[in-house]
Amino acid sequence: MGFTDLPLLSQIKGRLTWLDERQRVIAQNVANSDTPGYVSRDLQQPTDFARALATGGGLRMVRTSAMHIAPPGPTARFESRNAPDSETTLDGNSVVVEEQMLKMAESRMAYDAAIGFYQKSMQMLRMAARPPGR
């Protein structure tokens, strides 16, 4: 089992992937801030465990034996939805650049926190892998 197979690190990787995709959607909103009729978009928050357990969404099969059929590989697909900002201009554009910048800063802080958590996890694994007395 490699480091990349650890559930903790795969969860962090999933969070970073979601935040990266959210930054892309926000950048697309800012780029279209002057496009008539453009409605800003955003990604839905990842589902929390209780909701995923109740609806079955976001959960995937796990192969517990080599005799089992392998489940399909994980796919990192996120769907954006219309999320109009607080104002809509006369030409129908609903992008407020200031609100998009706040979302971008929020995503950046969450990304930095996830990177910090990843680095601390790797330090802990390196320390655990060291021979005793070193």
Side-chain angles (χ1 to χ4, degrees), residues 5-85:
D5 297 331
L6 294 172
L8 173 66
L9 297 181
S10 66
Q11 290 292 325
I12 294 171
K13 181 182 175 187
R15 177 72 171 162
L16 291 172
T17 303
W18 183 83
L19 289 166
D20 183 51
E21 183 68 17
R22 186 168 191 227
Q23 286 285 68
R24 188 190 63 74
V25 170
I26 292 170
Q28 187 176 16
N29 288 343
V30 172
N32 287 297
S33 64
D34 291 331
T35 305
Y38 184 82
V39 177
S40 65
R41 303 188 63 78
D42 201 358
L43 295 183
Q44 291 185 355
Q45 289 288 333
T47 57
D48 63 319
F49 183 73
R51 186 171 24 159
L53 191 59
T55 62
L59 298 178
R60 59 184 172 89
M61 296 186 300
V62 176
R63 187 173 174 185
T64 58
S65 169
M67 302 297 288
H68 293 165
I69 297 173
T75 57
R77 289 186 11 215
F78 304 106
E79 293 186 25
S80 62
R81 58 177 170 75
N82 285 348
D85 289 337

Side-chain angles (χ1 to χ4, degrees), residues 63-117:
R63 187 173 174 185
T64 58
S65 169
M67 302 297 288
H68 293 165
I69 297 173
T75 57
R77 289 186 11 215
F78 304 106
E79 293 186 25
S80 62
R81 58 177 170 75
N82 285 348
D85 289 337
S86 61
E87 301 173 7
T88 301
T89 59
L90 294 176
D91 64 0
N93 187 302
S94 69
V95 177
V96 178
V97 176
E98 291 82 6
E99 290 182 24
Q100 297 299 313
M101 292 296 112
L102 287 173
K103 289 179 184 179
M104 190 171 285
E106 173 187 298
S107 292
R108 178 62 191 191
M109 287 188 302
Y111 194 90
D112 289 343
I115 288 290
F117 192 60

